[in-house]
Amino acid sequence: SVSARRWGLVASATRMVSFGDVSPHLQKKYHDVLQVEAALLTASQPGRSLSEALRSGVEEYRLLGYGEEWTFHHQGGMAGYQSRELRATPNSLWILQTGQAVAWNPTIRGVKCEDTVLVRHDGLEVLTTVQDYPTVQVQLGQEVLTRPAILIRH
């Protein structure tokens, strides 16, 4: 995980690296955390509140069998001049607007994912894409997102 500042703004990203094969159990947990992230990302739309987006992620945790896992680590929120200017909570009233940045970081013990994205009227723009990093496709409903895979080094 890294947060970096450029031109006064902070962006955050998390990538997973394994120095050896990844167990099927860990691979499944990583796939599941990407599903939660997909729920958070697709719910991050102009006019929706941070709490609405968070509820989408919390529901995905529940559907995947992780219940209260979301309570063990903050899930992210508004990004900008700090890595999190405003953390999302179930009571967050902040309404997302076009041009604002969010950084969600869902976590299931042992795995985490995170990118900083710009909320746009026509979807999200990932600001922290890493060139030549392996990716996987994550489908949530009709949405298909390209997300970072676990980088495996032997």
Side-chain angles (χ1 to χ4, degrees):
S1 295
V2 64
S3 293
R5 184 179 311 275
R6 184 172 186 185
W7 300 321
L9 298 175
V10 177
S12 301
T14 297
R15 299 294 183 266
M16 301 267 316
V17 178
S18 177
F19 295 97
D21 293 332
V22 178
S23 72
H25 176 70
L26 188 65
Q27 195 69 265
K28 180 189 180 324
K29 283 174 71 172
Y30 187 67
H31 175 268
D32 290 348
V33 85
L34 290 176
Q35 286 293 127
V36 172
E37 184 197 38
L40 292 161
L41 289 171
T42 57
S44 298
Q45 301 172 12
R48 295 192 74 186
S49 70
L50 271 183
S51 61
E52 287 178 279
L54 178 62
R55 276 195 296 277
S56 294
V58 168
E59 177 63 10
E60 195 66 21
Y61 274 110
R62 189 190 66 73
L63 290 172
L64 293 167
Y66 295 98
E68 299 299 309
E69 187 79 23
W70 72 276
T71 64
F72 301 139
H73 188 275
H74 80 86
Q75 298 300 294
M78 300 297 301
Y81 293 104
Q82 301 293 323
S83 63
R84 295 303 182 281
E85 289 190 3
L86 180 62
R87 285 186 182 176
T89 69
N91 301 318
S92 298
L93 299 177
W94 188 266
I95 303 298
L96 294 168
Q97 302 294 317
T98 298
Q100 293 178 329
V102 294
W104 296 108
N105 54 284
T107 306
I108 297 172
R109 280 172 273 195
V111 295
K112 178 180 174 183
C113 59
E114 174 183 26
D115 268 309
T116 303
V117 299
L118 188 63
V119 176
R120 298 173 49 137
H121 70 280
D122 58 349
L124 299 174
E125 178 184 349
V126 179
L127 302 174
T128 49
T129 300
V130 178
Q131 206 170 18
D132 299 326
Y133 198 89
T135 60
V136 295
Q137 300 298 308
V138 178
Q139 183 164 358
L140 185 69
Q142 299 300 316
E143 296 286 329
V144 177
L145 304 174
T146 301
R147 302 305 304 133
I150 297 175
L151 176 63
I152 300 172
R153 295 285 187 207
H154 291 281

